[in-house]
Amino acid sequence: MPSVLVEEKISTYRPRVLENLRSAGDVLAARQEMGGLTRGNVPPWPGSGDGDFHGTLAAIWVWSTAEKLRGEDRFSLNIASAWSFIESTWSDFIPRSLGAHASDEAAYDCAMVLRAWLAGEGHKAVDDESARLERVATAARLLGAYVTDLENLSGREFKDPGFLAWTLGEYARALNDRGLSATARRFVDAAFGMKSPPSFSSELAGRDGLFDFSCTTATRVMAVIGAEGPIPFVGAWLRERVAPSVPQAFVARPMDENTWNSCAAASLGYAFSISTDATFFDAYKVLMDELDDRAENGALGRMPGYSAETAATFYYAMATASILGTI
């Protein structure tokens, strides 16, 4: 597709992206606890008092991305308070190893540390706090060791291997860390390869657990991009092998329907920004039109009828920004 037509398609979304990110940031900022023992925490949903480690990191991603794309300093105090909460509760959530005694969410927590830090472009800063840099590096090492030893590739939600490998690959490329890049690439090559993924709409639906928020078909695609980078070869792979798998309609799911479709849309928007294939744009538009109708002030609940939740809003914000090549 000619670059002029690509820019025309993307430009129609740009004002909506900027407005949605600001609105989502405002919703999460209003929920953030700004005093007490859990100062900086962003609870998972309205009325909750739970300390939410990865939810607070998700909020940092939303705020940092909104500031970066909008070019304004709107959420800096929220970001600083959130990082203070992350650092003060670090040992409660990040173990010394991601072995059998680690929580089911620990690997995901490590990945979200990297994603939040990358959104704030900490990898480009020379004056970031050394203690924070070390914690981020620790999360990356733990995640690298985890995917190296991972044998069960059927994990979903917090154990989705695609999300973990994608995040590790993006972090490694941002830092030009050859060791971690090799780790991510080896895992992706062994686990997914460059084969055509199954269709998004045929993906297994979880019914027994508490969550099923991650579109593992989408994160598998993102893991390949994370490992290889948004290069022309990946663009060709997206056009030839991934495009036939994209959903043609909003996908009904028994659990976390909004979050799952947001995760799918995030991969479609980002795939379009790399491949310029209209197939991805058309599928992205179908999902986003429905998600936009369901969202309120840039925030989203996991299912229709649910109040806005931090996790669902994070995935919706990623979907919103992905069309601009930001994720």
Side-chain angles (χ1 to χ4, degrees):
M1 180 182 294
S3 59
V4 173
L5 294 179
V6 171
E7 180 54 36
E8 286 180 358
K9 287 181 177 292
I10 291 177
S11 65
T12 62
Y13 274 92
R14 186 170 282 110
R16 190 189 311 180
V17 170
L18 300 180
E19 177 60 25
N20 279 356
L21 286 171
R22 182 195 62 77
S23 297
D26 285 344
V27 169
L28 296 178
R31 188 181 304 167
Q32 187 179 31
E33 299 172 1
M34 299 305 284
L37 296 176
T38 54
R39 180 180 181 275
N41 174 51
V42 181
W45 51 76
S48 170
D50 295 340
D52 191 351
F53 191 84
H54 52 253
T56 301
L57 290 162
I60 292 173
W61 187 94
V62 173
W63 293 326
S64 298
T65 303
E67 289 200 342
K68 178 170 58 180
L69 292 180
R70 293 178 60 88
E72 63 180 7
D73 180 11
R74 185 182 185 90
F75 300 112
S76 58
L77 291 178
N78 302 100
I79 293 169
S81 294
W83 274 117
S84 293
F85 171 76
I86 294 302
E87 288 157 358
S88 66
T89 59
W90 183 268
S91 60
D92 296 333
F93 294 93
I94 304 298
R96 293 183 179 275
S97 72
L98 296 177
H101 298 293
S103 77
D104 289 344
E105 301 177 8
Y108 185 84
D109 287 341
C110 287
M112 287 302 297
V113 168
L114 305 186
R115 192 146 294 282
W117 189 70
L118 287 172
E121 299 192 320
H123 58 294
K124 296 181 180 179
V126 296
D127 58 348
D128 204 351
E129 299 177 19
S130 59
R132 182 176 303 167
L133 290 173
E134 180 55 35
R135 288 191 178 96
V136 173
T138 295
R141 289 194 297 270
L142 288 170
L143 198 57
Y146 180 83
V147 301
T148 297
D149 295 337
L150 188 62
E151 296 179 356
N152 181 4
L153 304 179
S154 64
R156 301 189 61 78
E157 26 94 9
F158 294 112
K159 290 192 172 184
D160 174 10
F163 184 89
L164 305 179
W166 163 40
T167 302
L168 183 66
E170 294 283 352
Y171 172 86
R173 284 192 299 104
L175 269 70
N176 196 28
D177 187 318
R178 295 183 180 181
L180 283 178
S181 288
T183 296
R185 190 173 293 111
R186 279 195 302 270
F187 175 81
V188 169
D189 288 346
F192 308 128
M194 302 292 283
K195 298 175 293 186
S196 300
S199 68
F200 283 60
S201 57
S202 68
E203 183 178 312
L204 173 72
R207 297 176 183 274
D208 299 328
L210 295 175
F211 305 101
D212 193 36
F213 55 81
S214 190
C215 175
T216 56
T217 308
T219 58
R220 166 183 173 169
V221 172
M222 296 304 294
V224 173
I225 299 173
E228 300 293 338
I231 58 177
F233 172 71
V234 169
W237 171 72
L238 289 167
R239 289 188 293 270
E240 296 169 10
R241 299 195 176 182
V242 180
S245 303
V246 303
Q248 304 301 312
F250 196 84
V251 182
R253 305 280 295 182
M255 296 173 60
D256 295 335
E257 181 175 274
N258 291 342
T259 321
W260 188 95
N261 278 276
S262 294
C263 183
S267 72
L268 299 173
Y270 196 51
F272 175 70
S273 75
I274 297 169
S275 70
T276 70
D277 189 322
T279 302
F280 291 105
F281 181 84
D282 294 343
Y284 174 81
K285 186 176 185 303
V286 167
L287 298 192
M288 289 305 297
D289 284 350
E290 180 64 27
L291 290 167
D292 288 342
D293 284 344
R294 296 183 179 197
E296 184 175 351
N297 296 323
L300 194 64
R302 73 183 74 176
M303 293 283 286
Y306 278 68
S307 299
E309 297 168 277
T310 303
T313 298
F314 163 65
Y315 280 90
Y316 175 56
M318 280 205 299
T320 300
S322 67
I323 196 68
L324 304 186
T326 299
I327 201 164

